[in-house]
């Protein structure tokens, strides 16, 4: 069964450093998402992406964040200058379509720790 | 604003007994409701969803969920729990921008 994959599984970085989290969505999916979960808090939507453009973004997704589809398979989330409060589990997801009730399939997550 | 509540942080059930994990929601418009499960060191795995139609939705691993519009609930159920069902369960509602709004999660512990 096709799966969303994410690398790395864990990343430790120093405050102020740039990090890139990578995701390979399910191959026939066209819509991609990033969510995050700070320890002890709810999962939060960050951004959705389609056709090389951001479709929606939350208030969390400020100028420090960017997303890219650099090639036909990868989907990346870049945090330009990490802050302590960026420490969280980051989940990538993909879906076939963008419509009400469409299932989003999630990867295993990248645990980011900012020191 | 749309929201999801999972009133129980943890549910303990003996193996072989029925289980229920509760979820209530608040939405404007039609609710599109989801259950996901997270096993240790694994991602969020889709279990089932309600879009329209039958109020009882069947999903993976023998789970089902009952949509109740009057009570704005979407409780997850299983007739006979297995130890391997022990995991973290998340209820979510999709908003009009196709974003998932999540509950806080419920830890399900099945004791042998």
């Amino acid at each position: 069964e096709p799966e969303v994959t994410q690398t790395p599984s864990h990343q430790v970085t120093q405050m102020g450093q740039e990090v890139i989290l990578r995701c390979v969505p399910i191959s026939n999916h066209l819509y991609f998402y990033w969510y995050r979960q700070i320890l002890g808090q709810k999962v939060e939507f960050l951004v959705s992406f389609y056709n090389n453009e951001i479709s929606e973004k939350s208030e969390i997704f400020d100028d420090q964040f960017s997303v890219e589809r650099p090639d036909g398979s990868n989907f990346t989330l870049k945090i330009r200058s990490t802050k302590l409060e960026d420490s969280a589990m980051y989940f990538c997801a993909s879906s076939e379509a963008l419509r009400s009730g469409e299932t989003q399939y999630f990867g295993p997550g990248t645990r980011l720790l900012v020191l | 604003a749309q929201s999801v509540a999972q009133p129980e942080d943890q549910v303990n059930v003996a193996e072989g007994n029925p289980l229920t994990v509760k979820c209530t929601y608040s939405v404007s418009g039609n609710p599109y409701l989801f259950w996901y499960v997270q096993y240790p060191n694994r991602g969020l795995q889709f279990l089932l969803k309600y879009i329209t139609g039958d109020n009882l939705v069947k999903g993976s691993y023998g789970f089902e969920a009952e949509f109740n519009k009057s009570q704005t609930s979407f409780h997850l159920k299983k007739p006979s729990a297995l130890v391997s069902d022990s995991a973290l369960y998340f209820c979510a509602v999709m908003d009009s921008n196709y974003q998932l709004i999540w509950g806080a999660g419920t830890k399900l512990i099945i004791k042998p």
Side-chain angles (χ1 to χ4, degrees), chain B residues 21-37:
Chain B
V21 182
K22 295 179 181 176
C23 172
T24 58
Y25 64 90
S26 173
V27 300
S28 51
N30 294 324
Y32 301 99
L33 297 156
F34 297 78
W35 276 102
Y36 284 82
V37 59

Side-chain angles (χ1 to χ4, degrees), chain A residues 98-115:
Chain A
L98 194 70
R99 56 182 169 226
S100 297
E102 186 71 20
T103 301
Q104 295 174 17
Y105 293 92
F106 285 77
T110 294
R111 187 170 295 283
L112 176 66
L113 179 61
V114 182
L115 301 176

